[in-house]
Amino acid sequence: MATPVTMPMLGLTMEEGTVAEWLKNEGDTVTRDEPLLTVEMDKGTMEVPSPASGVLRRIVVQPGTTVPVKTLIAEIAEPGEVIAPLSAAAATPSGGGAGPGSMPLAGGPGDLPWRGPTNAQIAAAAAASLAGPQHVVAAAATRLFASPRARLRARTLDLDLRGMTGTGPQGRIVEADVLAASTAAAVAEPRLVATPLARRLAQEHGVDIDTVVGTGPGGRITQEDVLLAASSGQPPAVAADTAQPATGGVLPLSRLRRLTAEHMASSAQTTARVTLFLEADFSEAARFRAQLQPEFARLGVPKLPWDALIARAAGLALLEHPALLAQWVDGLGLRSPDAVHVGVAVALEPEGLVVPVLRDASSRSLRELARDLLALAEKARAGRLSPTEMQGGTFTITNLGAYRIDGFTPIVNSPETAILGVGRIAPQAVVIDGQVQARTMCSLSLSFDHRVVDGASAAAFLARLAELLERPYTLLGI
């Protein structure tokens, strides 16, 4: 019996998802738990494994289509198995117009209707049964053996594993074979290779991707290449009236923009937000960071981001002021998380933001936090964050210093109670002991829910946070 592939529920609040890319084509052999497709959801894009081994017999939902969770999106069958045709309603992701006897969009194998095979299907099944042994032998002969790293590298380089000669054990295709094939293909005939996100951004910005120069591995076009081409004024690939709405028209919101707007509006309406401002002296922190960066690089961490340093200080300050970790639960009271997990807002291009979470920011080393933050930020900009990497935060940091913003009033990231806004870190003239001195200053703004915590408690936390950053050597642990 064919195995249905349905839109998975990748988060507790996920109601629908968008098929971003099929990693297999119809007719390809798939193995259970092998990456089958990527799904774009509320907080990023995630690979979905195959629920069964067999042949991807039918793709029902095409890339770019949004459907509710548990909607049938594909079917996997045994080699040679004949599957029943889909009804017109079942092939429509929205489920609109479904009539009696049509296949439901959401359900398991028992929900599939049986209308009886057609004469053509009966003939095909009979032919398959007569040629059974030969078919099995042919399937075994054409089965593709490749390592997981080889498959991942092939998808990255947009290469077809079929036709490659494997040099691994028993002829298995390994990563070195894929890289060799990529080099040979580039010499024989240069190919345009671009990430799915880069192609989508090129379409949104009206950039002709055929003219973009790739700077990624093997000349792969990345999102940064597309954005650079867009900012340099490259001629659009489509007519202007299709790239932007006409005067007075409405440009539809992207899914991420819409969900971000809804979440921010809900937080602003349901929390009693108050914002405190404090000017902190980052002079010593700047020296501290400059001293640590070479050592971090030697240990395999390219740099020490300011946000990692601030997250570590926030984690220690939150241990001393746990009231800011409490979360409001309507009708019940306050919930107290059992750990300090600090989220760091990452802006996405062309719009939207995500908040990957640094786990146990109060107990892990500064180097570990820096390493994890760099990896999470890279995954976020590539659209590859998993739901678990964005869940469970108890405090959030949002930094607009790179945009020369001195101070702002951030919106609390519900259900959390507080969020820290970080302004630019820059030299300023400051009076110290009656003398004007040049110091490296930073404006910190703490927005908090006054229903959960009082102003004095929030102020004490912010003062302690600033103190830790002004004496940063305590962040290494005592």
Side-chain angles (χ1 to χ4, degrees):
M1 176 181 291
T3 301
V5 181
T6 60
M7 176 60 68
M9 188 172 182
L10 302 174
L12 295 177
T13 61
M14 179 176 173
E15 297 179 354
E16 60 183 13
T18 301
V19 175
E21 178 187 11
W22 284 101
L23 305 178
K24 293 287 186 176
N25 299 316
E26 287 188 352
D28 286 353
T29 301
V30 297
T31 304
R32 182 181 177 88
D33 295 330
E34 178 185 10
L36 181 62
L37 73 153
T38 58
V39 170
E40 182 179 340
M41 45 179 289
D42 298 0
K43 299 180 178 179
T45 302
M46 184 177 183
E47 284 189 347
V48 176
S50 173
S53 298
V55 175
L56 182 58
R57 188 65 68 195
R58 177 161 52 208
I59 292 177
V60 179
V61 177
Q62 298 303 317
T65 306
T66 301
V67 296
V69 296
K70 298 185 180 179
T71 296
L72 179 71
I73 58 177
E75 287 182 297
I76 296 173
E78 294 292 333
E81 180 181 354
V82 178
I83 60 177
L86 288 176
S87 65
T92 305
S94 63
S102 64
M103 179 186 293
L105 290 176
D111 295 325
L112 298 176
W114 176 251
R115 297 177 177 273
T118 64
N119 291 336
Q121 289 173 321
I122 294 175
S129 64
L130 290 175
Q134 292 85 352
H135 183 83
V136 172
V137 172
T142 58
R143 186 176 179 185
L144 185 65
F145 292 93
S147 69
R149 288 183 64 87
R151 293 181 184 275
L152 178 61
R153 180 68 69 176
R155 287 200 304 275
T156 302
L157 298 175
D158 196 21
L159 293 176
D160 191 348
L161 289 171
R162 290 171 295 190
M164 290 188 190
T165 301
T167 60
Q170 299 180 347
R172 191 182 194 190
I173 298 173
V174 296
E175 185 179 19
D177 301 326
V178 177
L179 295 175
S182 173
T183 303
V187 173
E189 180 182 358
R191 303 175 61 193
L192 176 65
V193 182
T195 66
L197 179 59
R199 293 183 183 276
R200 187 165 67 247
L201 287 176
Q203 185 177 9
E204 293 175 355
H205 285 268
V207 173
D208 186 355
I209 200 166
D210 292 331
T211 63
V212 177
V213 178
T215 60
R220 186 175 177 84
I221 298 173
T222 65
Q223 61 172 341
E224 289 80 9
D225 300 326
V226 174
L227 294 174
L228 179 61
S231 63
S232 63
Q234 174 182 310
V238 294
D241 58 351
T242 61
Q244 295 187 8
T247 303
V250 177
L251 182 65
L253 295 175
S254 67
R255 176 178 173 79
L256 182 58
R257 180 72 268 163
R258 175 174 58 83
L259 291 169
T260 301
E262 292 174 354
H263 184 67
M264 294 295 98
S266 174
S267 174
Q269 293 169 3
T270 58
T271 61
R273 184 180 51 153
V274 177
T275 304
L276 305 177
F277 293 88
L278 184 150
E279 289 289 330
D281 189 341
F282 273 39
S283 300
E284 196 62 33
R287 283 191 288 270
F288 173 75
R289 179 170 175 262
Q291 291 171 352
L292 281 183
Q293 296 228 68
E295 187 66 16
F296 275 34
R298 187 184 69 82
L299 295 174
V301 180
K303 63 179 181 179
L304 171 55
W306 274 112
D307 286 342
L309 197 149
I310 296 170
R312 169 69 172 157
L316 294 176
L318 286 166
L319 284 182
E320 299 179 26
H321 301 274
L324 279 87
L325 292 173
Q327 298 176 355
W328 181 273
V329 181
D330 285 333
L332 296 177
L334 300 179
R335 176 175 55 233
S336 298
D338 54 3
V340 180
H341 304 313
V342 177
V344 179
V346 177
L348 303 181
E349 295 292 346
E351 59 178 12
L353 59 86
V354 293
V355 186
V357 177
L358 293 172
R359 308 288 171 185
D360 301 311
S362 60
S363 58
R364 300 174 65 211
S365 72
L366 191 56
R367 181 164 63 90
E368 290 176 324
L369 294 178
R371 179 198 61 202
D372 287 359
L373 179 57
L374 292 173
L376 289 169
E378 182 178 356
K379 291 179 69 175
R381 296 187 179 101
R384 297 292 182 184
L385 280 177
S386 68
T388 55
E389 290 171 326
M390 295 179 282
Q391 294 174 350
T394 55
F395 184 83
T396 296
I397 295 171
T398 176
N399 191 336
L400 294 180
Y403 301 94
R404 300 177 61 187
I405 300 300
D406 290 320
F408 57 104
T409 56
I411 297 178
V412 176
N413 185 22
S414 300
E416 298 170 15
T417 289
I419 180 171
L420 179 72
V422 180
R424 66 171 169 172
I425 301 169
Q428 292 184 26
V430 179
V431 177
I432 299 178
D433 297 329
Q435 301 293 323
V436 177
Q437 299 182 19
R439 306 291 291 180
T440 301
M441 305 297 292
C442 177
S443 178
L444 302 176
S445 53
L446 179 73
S447 290
F448 62 95
D449 189 347
H450 213 318
R451 299 178 304 171
V452 179
V453 64
D454 294 330
S457 299
F461 162 79
L462 186 58
R464 178 55 176 160
L465 173 64
E467 185 179 34
L468 289 169
L469 290 169
E470 290 172 342
R471 297 187 294 182
Y473 299 94
T474 57
L475 303 181
L476 294 176
I478 299 177

